[in-house]
């Protein structure tokens, strides 16, 4: 998934971001200072570790205490452990066993998936026995069979996972591996989720598709194996969704047929009609896409002899997109695309549709031009009742940062789909690869919240932005307000006490009942961090609050996913420039 921020910023520095991140990470680093005073006594801690699926005890699981009481032990054959001499007071426990994983984070940010949130335990002489549960990791394995009967050795297999980003389900590259000498592959250590598997293309007797010999375009036809999604689809729409949970193992076998791969050559044509000459600069890229505009795993290379892009492809209809990050001067000899010979003053892009049908495709000419820029104007709305002075800024990145995420299809493996992003005084301008995108905004300045985000008559919080090389994007406008409200979330009295033993923690989602492009990530509440959590920087309006007694991945921008919950949530109205309160009630498991 390609992500490009309009400016580098510290998410934890101000406003809602600081509150969100503090809440999100609270499960990792419990606020021990807020807990009961540390006693001078030492306690022997007892407990058991079990398989969360079968309930069976787990032997040789490592139970470790972090921090000043850094110590650990392995469970015995019955899953029991005993750690003597632990100082009374709040301690942080981690439980680890190969082939198993602890509870996950509520967010699917890849930087937070290594171990999961630690266990906060209030150690006391009268504490109950601890009970931890680990979930067996899932796996996908399979075998690739070739129609030639040869072993499918060193072929690349890609794993995609359906993940939640900004409350929406999207596909993300999860991992890649290569087949062994018998054509077998395996993906292990997988969390629960929905997956798809793709066998990458390969030329016969070669591990990957590569450029033909210099200057030989149209003279060489090779045989190979096309890209296939399990079980037998050339696009993700036809791929089988592999559902894994609770340590399940799935088998995904491929049967690939040998077919001809034909050379395709293309040259860029400058705005003046001259063919591109010289080498493509280091920032240049060429992408092969299917008829729907989704990137395919066939990677063109530049042939310096013929000054053309070359790629070998099986029969089918494709688009070839060329993009150069520089825009050198055009001389009498044509466009100089050498890395050191041109003056960088912009970028060029172009695409051509073509069909491979039993023969080479040569001499494609791709008109190159400046890609259509999209502009988002920021409109500041100052509330007449606000006590704060109107917001002024000379740089749009001080007010908003934009993120573009592909709305459908397979994310590109390597390279960004967003080509450039620039900030003016009151506008953000960007160019991106043709496609459909969801736009999200982060507002770094405290005291600002988001209003409507529209463009060309579209509600961009509900509909994706479609970009193409030949059509100008609609003018877009993001409204920013300075009359934000605050929501004070409070644990009920029965859940607010930090009692001896493992501390419970609760995952909370605050979901707007109105359309917005600003994300409110899941928050964590637990007694040791205080009974009340203030969520500031909220746009005035109606919200629903959903609380869970465990980490939950909630597709909160999908009404059907919310309707499927057993708990309908609690409705609350956030009023401009005031603090609204809500006591959490029913917790869903």
């Amino acid at each position: 998934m390609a992500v490009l921020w309009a400016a580098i910023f510290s998410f934890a520095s101000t406003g809602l971001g600081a509150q969100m991140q503090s809440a999100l990470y609270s499960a990792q680093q419990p606020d021990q200072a807020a807990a009961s005073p540390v006693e001078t006594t030492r306690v022997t801690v007892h407990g058991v570790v079990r398989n969360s699926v079968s309930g069976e005890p787990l032997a040789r699981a490592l139970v470790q205490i972090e921090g000043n009481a850094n110590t650990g032990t392995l469970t015995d054959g019955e899953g029991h452990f005993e750690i003597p001499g632990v100082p009374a007071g709040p301690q942080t426990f981690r439980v680890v066993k190969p082939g198993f994983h602890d509870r996950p984070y509520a967010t699917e940010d890849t930087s937070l998936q290594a171990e999961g949130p630690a266990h906060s335990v209030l150690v006391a002489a009268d504490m109950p026995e601890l009970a931890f549960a680990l979930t067996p990791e899932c796996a996908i394995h399979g075998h690739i069979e070739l129609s030639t009967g040869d072993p499918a050795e060193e072929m690349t297999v890609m794993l995609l996972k359906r993940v939640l980003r900004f409350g929406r389900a999207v596909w993300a590259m999860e991992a890649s591996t290569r087949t062994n000498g018998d054509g077998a592959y395996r993906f292990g250590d997988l969390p629960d989720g929905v997956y798809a598997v793709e066998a990458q293309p390969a030329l016969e007797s070669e591990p990957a598709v590569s450029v033909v010999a210099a200057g030989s375009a149209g003279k060489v036809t090779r045989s190979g194996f096309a890209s296939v999604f399990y079980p037998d689809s050339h696009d993700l729409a036809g791929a089988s969704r592999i559902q894994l949970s609770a340590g399940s193992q799935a088998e995904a076998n491929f049967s690939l047929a040998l077919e001809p791969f034909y050379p395709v050559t293309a040259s860029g044509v400058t705005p003046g009609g001259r063919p591109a000459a010289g080498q493509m600069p280091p920032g240049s890229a060429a992408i092969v896409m299917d008829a729907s505009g989704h990137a395919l795993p066939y990677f063109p290379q530049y042939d310096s002899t013929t000054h053309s892009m070359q790629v070998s492809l099986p029969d089918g209809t494709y688009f070839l997109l060329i993009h150069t990050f520089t825009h050198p001067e055009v001389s009498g000899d044509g466009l100089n695309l050498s890395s050191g010979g041109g003056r960088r003053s912009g970028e060029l892009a172009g695409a051509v549709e073509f069909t491979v049908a039993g023969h080479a495709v040569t001499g494609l000419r791709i008109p190159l031009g400046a890609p259509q820029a999209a502009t988002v104007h920021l409109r500041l709305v100052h509330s007449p009742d606000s006590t704060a002075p109107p917001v002024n800024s000379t740089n749009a990145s001080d007010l908003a940062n934009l993120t573009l995420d592909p709305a459908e299809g397979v994310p590109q493996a390597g390279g960004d789909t967003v080509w450039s992003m620039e900030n003016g005084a009151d506008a953000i301008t960007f160019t991106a690869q043709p496609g459909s995108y969801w736009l999200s905004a982060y507002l770094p300045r405290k005291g600002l919240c988001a209003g409507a985000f529209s463009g060309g008559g579209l509600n961009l919080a509900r509909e994706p932005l479609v970009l193409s090389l030949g059509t100008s994007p609609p003018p877009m406008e993001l409204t920013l307000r300075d009359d934000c409200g605050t929501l004070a979330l409070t644990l009920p009295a029965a859940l607010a006490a930090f009692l001896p033993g493992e501390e419970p923690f609760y995952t909370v989602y605050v979901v707007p009942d109105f359309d917005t492009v600003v994300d409110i990530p899941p928050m964590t509440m637990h007694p040791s961090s205080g009974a009340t959590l203030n969520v500031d920087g909220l746009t005035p309006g109606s919200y629903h609050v959903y609380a869970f007694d465990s980490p939950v991945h909630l597709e909160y921008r999908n009404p059907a996913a919310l309707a499927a919950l057993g708990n309908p949530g609690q409705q609350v109205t956030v009023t401009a420039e005031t603090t609204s309160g809500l006591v959490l009630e029913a917790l869903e498991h």
Side-chain angles (χ1 to χ4, degrees):
M1 218 171 320
V3 178
L4 183 65
W5 297 103
I8 302 297
F9 60 88
S10 172
F11 184 71
S13 60
T14 58
L16 178 61
Q19 184 67 64
M20 295 298 99
Q21 179 153 308
S22 174
L24 178 61
Y25 292 139
S26 60
Q28 305 173 61
Q29 302 293 338
D31 186 359
Q32 298 180 357
S36 301
V38 176
E39 302 174 13
T40 57
T41 58
R42 292 186 175 266
V43 177
T44 297
V45 176
H46 300 268
V48 64
V49 180
R50 298 185 181 278
N51 183 319
S52 67
V53 178
S54 66
E56 298 176 350
L58 290 178
R60 300 192 63 78
L62 174 63
V63 182
Q64 188 173 21
I65 304 177
E66 298 180 341
N68 294 332
N70 190 12
T71 185
T73 187
L74 294 174
T75 57
D76 62 18
E78 297 300 320
H80 291 102
F81 65 89
E82 178 181 297
I83 306 177
V86 180
Q91 302 291 349
T92 300
F93 282 67
R94 287 198 178 274
V95 187
V96 180
K97 181 176 174 61
F100 290 79
H101 60 81
D102 207 340
R103 58 194 181 186
Y105 289 106
T107 177
E108 291 192 283
D109 185 333
T110 55
S111 65
L112 296 176
Q113 301 308 309
E115 296 179 307
H119 300 265
S120 177
V121 176
L122 180 57
V123 175
D126 58 348
M127 65 181 290
E129 181 180 73
L130 297 176
F132 298 120
L134 300 180
T135 302
E137 293 171 335
C138 305
I140 297 176
H141 64 92
H143 178 269
I144 297 180
E145 179 180 341
L146 303 180
S147 61
T148 60
D150 298 320
E153 184 178 5
E154 288 295 304
M155 293 189 70
T156 300
V157 183
M158 301 294 297
L159 180 68
L160 284 77
K161 185 175 187 288
R162 196 73 167 162
V163 302
L164 296 182
R165 180 165 175 79
F166 299 134
R168 295 186 179 93
V170 297
W171 287 102
M173 293 291 185
E174 180 75 6
S176 67
T177 189
R178 289 183 179 272
T179 54
N180 63 16
D182 297 325
Y185 72 92
R186 185 178 187 274
F187 294 104
D189 302 333
L190 301 179
D192 295 358
V194 177
Y195 296 85
V197 184
E198 179 190 20
Q200 295 274 284
L203 291 179
E204 191 176 20
S205 75
E206 291 190 22
V209 174
S210 60
V211 70
V212 300
S216 64
K219 301 177 182 178
V220 178
T221 298
R222 300 165 120 168
S223 295
F225 303 94
S227 169
V228 172
F229 284 94
Y230 173 77
D232 187 25
S233 174
H234 291 292
D235 57 60
L236 181 58
S240 288
R241 273 49 173 168
I242 302 173
Q243 178 75 56
L244 298 180
S245 62
S248 59
Q249 311 282 307
E251 185 173 6
N253 297 321
F254 293 88
S255 182
L256 305 182
L258 186 68
E259 57 183 298
F261 276 54
Y262 300 97
V264 175
T265 63
S267 299
V269 179
T270 70
R274 300 182 181 90
Q279 290 187 333
M280 300 290 282
S284 299
I287 302 169
V288 177
M289 299 180 289
D290 63 18
S292 299
H294 300 148
L296 298 174
Y298 301 101
F299 304 106
Q301 297 184 31
Y302 186 73
D303 180 359
S304 60
T305 301
T306 61
H307 308 308
S308 64
M309 300 300 298
Q310 295 189 25
V311 64
S312 294
L313 297 172
D315 286 350
T317 298
Y318 306 91
F319 280 91
L320 179 62
L321 170 68
I322 292 180
H323 172 242
T324 174
F325 292 79
T326 61
H327 192 308
E329 291 184 273
V330 177
S331 66
D333 296 327
L335 180 65
N336 182 358
L337 288 173
S338 63
S339 58
R343 184 182 71 233
R344 298 188 178 187
S345 60
E347 54 188 342
L348 295 172
V352 65
E353 184 179 13
F354 62 95
T355 298
V356 177
H359 57 78
V361 178
T362 60
L364 289 174
R365 293 167 63 86
I366 302 180
L368 300 178
Q372 301 288 341
T375 300
V376 177
H377 292 279
L378 305 181
R379 185 169 71 93
L380 295 171
V381 177
H382 176 62
S383 171
D385 299 326
S386 176
T387 58
V391 174
N392 294 309
S393 176
T394 58
N395 192 323
S397 66
D398 294 338
L399 307 177
N401 295 271
L402 296 180
T403 302
L404 276 69
D405 286 297
E408 57 184 16
V410 185
Q412 186 179 342
D416 285 325
T417 57
V418 178
W419 292 336
S420 67
M421 191 171 282
E422 300 177 356
N423 299 297
D426 61 355
I428 301 173
T429 300
F430 59 88
T431 60
Q433 179 180 308
S436 179
Y437 296 92
W438 290 112
L439 272 66
S440 301
Y442 166 73
L443 309 182
R445 179 171 293 195
K446 185 176 178 63
L448 284 183
C449 47
F453 194 178
S454 61
L458 300 178
N459 178 352
L460 294 175
R462 184 174 296 180
E463 301 177 74
L465 174 67
V466 178
L467 300 177
S468 67
L469 292 178
T471 304
S472 297
M476 291 170 280
E477 182 179 80
L478 172 60
T479 301
L480 303 179
R481 305 171 53 167
D482 64 359
D483 60 346
C484 315
T486 297
L487 177 60
L489 299 172
T490 303
L491 291 173
L495 303 178
F498 189 6
L499 303 175
E502 182 178 2
E503 177 185 32
F505 74 94
Y506 311 100
T507 303
V508 181
Y509 284 86
V510 178
V511 181
D513 293 334
F514 51 90
D515 294 324
T516 178
V517 292
V518 172
D519 178 59
I520 305 176
M523 293 162 285
T524 296
M525 295 185 67
H526 47 88
S528 64
S529 62
T532 299
L533 173 65
N534 289 322
V535 186
D536 60 8
L538 295 179
T539 302
S542 175
Y543 293 78
H544 269 77
V545 178
Y546 301 88
F548 306 86
D549 63 1
S550 60
V552 171
H553 298 155
L554 180 61
E555 190 181 354
Y556 60 83
R557 292 191 190 269
N558 181 355
L562 297 179
L565 295 175
N567 180 355
Q570 295 172 254
Q571 195 274 335
V572 62
T573 298
V574 173
T575 305
E577 300 189 297
T578 61
T579 298
S580 304
L582 181 69
V583 177
L584 299 180
E585 295 175 351
L587 299 177
E588 184 165 353
H589 179 67

